[in-house]
Amino acid sequence: MRKLITLMCAILISSMSYAQKNEIKALEKALKSNNFAAAKTSVASADALIGNMDDKTKAKFYFLKAQALYASGAGTNDDISKAIKSLDDLKDLESKVGKLKYTEEANTIKASMLQNFLQRADKALTNKNYLIASKNFETAYKLSPKDTTYLYYAASTAVNAQDYETSLAQYLQLKNMGYTGIKTNYLATNKETGVEENFSDKKTRDIAIVSKTYINPRVELSKSKSAEIIKNIALIYVAQNENEKAIAAMADARKENPNDLGLILSEANVQLKMGNRDKFKDLMEIATTMDPENAELQFNLGALAAEGGNVDSAKKYYKKAIELDPNYADAYTNMAVAILNGELAIVEEMNGLGSSSADNERYDTLLEKRKGLYSEAIPFLEKALELNKTNVEAARTLMNIYSTLGETDKFKAMKAKVAELDAKASGN
């Protein structure tokens, strides 16, 4: 009886071995003819037998399975993920048994796949097809997990595609792994052009220095992307009405980096988006203390003060922004708007006056006050238009002011300018 059982087991094992070989042969044949549909069918059949394969057969199957599912790049996202796993399983198996028969070829295939998906991602990015770009960058990361920048690109492009669920998961993954995106840039100045250039690595840069075509070698670290990642996590939470999670994300980040100006500004933006204007103002004032030479911070505080009706404070901030950056066109525009903000009250009072001597006298006083506002605003509007020659609103406001002041020549010139800008805007 024992002999009979042994014989039956031997027959069963032999039958299984024969079936495995047949399926793998069919898989190889289908791959040779690029019949990926047939190859995938053979993969499914062979998968059912994998538990009984020896290591040598299993390694070969993993190798062929990956090619079948990848289908020269035509496989579905799910199939390609399985193909990548199959190549990883192959490398793990051969590393374990100490026989690297297919590992080198597997590495070559993975490198080819990586380049393929990066090219697809770049093409999709060029065409502004952000969803496709994101999926390809994600696949590139799966192929090369050490290159975490690919995951960052996947998350960023997913945001552009408004695929917030995907981007949030990827940003959280980046945050949890401590990704900063900081890299070392190897720089040198081209002697001929005088332009500083960034080299791919230190060795290439050093060769350029030795050739004497480049000078002034230096090393520079790129900026951290941590603040941007935290900000985007928070903004996605805000978009999902998860405001508490948004603020918590910012709070955690600032605990670790209390002096990170980027994080303070990011939290300020989130607070503003949530409608917490007082908190926004507090954070912006902290930021201006940390970076008092930042014109944009002063401008933002000015805009916030103006929106809150505090015109004097708005002027103070705009003035500071202009002092820090004399070419800040928007600061000149907003300063003029703040100045002219007082015109409405003057006009309303003028319209409410009667015809008595006292009223006529008050009217003349108000008229001079109004002209004073115009005279104060004109230099800022002229400078705004000088810095931004397409600023039609500044041009139109100047045209109206010149008309009111009776400055005919300036009025005509500005009227022509407005007509020109309107024509360009309408495509005529």
Side-chain angles (χ1 to χ4, degrees), residues 242-292:
E242 297 280 3
N243 293 336
E244 296 304 320
K245 288 184 178 180
I247 296 302
M250 289 295 182
D252 288 344
R254 287 187 61 199
K255 282 179 185 176
E256 296 179 16
N257 304 281
N259 297 318
D260 190 319
L261 180 62
L263 285 174
I264 293 172
L265 293 174
S266 295
E267 183 175 348
N269 287 331
V270 172
Q271 294 284 6
L272 182 62
K273 190 175 180 67
M274 291 169 61
N276 300 333
R277 298 189 178 280
D278 289 340
K279 186 63 178 176
F280 170 79
K281 183 180 178 182
D282 291 343
L283 289 165
M284 290 297 289
E285 287 179 344
I286 292 171
T288 55
T289 302
M290 294 175 62
D291 189 5

Side-chain angles (χ1 to χ4, degrees), residues 118-364:
L118 287 176
Q119 288 170 5
R120 289 186 188 184
D122 287 339
K123 183 178 179 181
L125 205 53
T126 300
N127 294 329
K128 297 184 178 180
N129 193 335
Y130 299 116
L131 188 60
I132 298 298
S134 177
K135 291 184 182 301
N136 282 294
F137 278 128
E138 183 180 25
T139 303
Y141 171 67
K142 289 177 181 177
L143 282 162
S144 184
K146 71 179 188 299
D147 292 315
T148 45
T149 298
Y150 299 149
L151 182 60
Y152 168 76
Y153 290 152
S156 300
T157 46
V159 167
N160 290 334
Q162 298 183 358
D163 183 2
Y164 297 126
E165 289 293 335
T166 297
S167 60
L168 178 60
Q170 292 167 338
Y171 277 133
L172 288 171
Q173 187 177 349
L174 288 164
K175 176 179 176 289
N176 292 336
M177 68 172 64
Y179 173 81
T180 64
I182 296 174
K183 65 178 182 178
T184 304
N185 294 322
Y186 298 97
L187 307 162
T189 302
N190 186 314
K191 282 181 71 174
E192 183 178 346
T193 64
V195 176
E196 188 175 59
E197 298 177 16
N198 188 13
F199 290 79
S200 58
D201 52 54
K202 184 178 184 298
K203 183 178 179 181
T204 305
R205 194 276 312 276
D206 290 348
I207 291 173
I209 295 295
V210 171
S211 72
K212 298 184 178 180
T213 56
Y214 287 80
I215 57 174
N216 302 328
R218 69 183 185 90
V219 175
E220 178 183 80
L221 293 178
S222 65
K223 290 183 179 179
S224 172
K225 292 183 170 63
S226 295
E228 177 197 337
I229 290 169
I230 294 295
K231 180 188 75 174
N232 286 342
I233 289 172
L235 289 175
I236 291 170
Y237 279 139
V238 171
Q240 296 175 334
N241 294 318
E242 297 280 3
N243 293 336
E244 296 304 320
K245 288 184 178 180
I247 296 302
M250 289 295 182
D252 288 344
R254 287 187 61 199
K255 282 179 185 176
E256 296 179 16
N257 304 281
N259 297 318
D260 190 319
L261 180 62
L263 285 174
I264 293 172
L265 293 174
S266 295
E267 183 175 348
N269 287 331
V270 172
Q271 294 284 6
L272 182 62
K273 190 175 180 67
M274 291 169 61
N276 300 333
R277 298 189 178 280
D278 289 340
K279 186 63 178 176
F280 170 79
K281 183 180 178 182
D282 291 343
L283 289 165
M284 290 297 289
E285 287 179 344
I286 292 171
T288 55
T289 302
M290 294 175 62
D291 189 5
E293 303 302 306
N294 190 320
E296 186 175 358
L297 296 181
Q298 299 292 336
F299 174 82
N300 287 335
L301 281 170
L304 185 67
E307 189 175 327
N310 194 335
V311 177
D312 290 337
S313 290
K315 289 180 184 179
K316 180 188 73 172
Y317 289 124
Y318 292 142
K319 181 181 178 182
K320 184 64 176 178
I322 290 169
E323 288 174 358
L324 294 171
D325 182 2
N327 294 319
Y328 202 149
D330 287 344
Y332 288 99
T333 300
N334 281 27
M335 176 65 96
V337 170
I339 292 168
L340 294 173
N341 183 68
E343 182 186 15
L344 181 61
I346 294 174
V347 172
E348 285 181 350
E349 186 178 350
M350 289 171 71
N351 290 337
L353 293 173
S355 56
S356 68
S357 297
D359 285 342
N360 288 336
E361 186 176 340
R362 178 59 180 165
Y363 184 90
D364 291 339

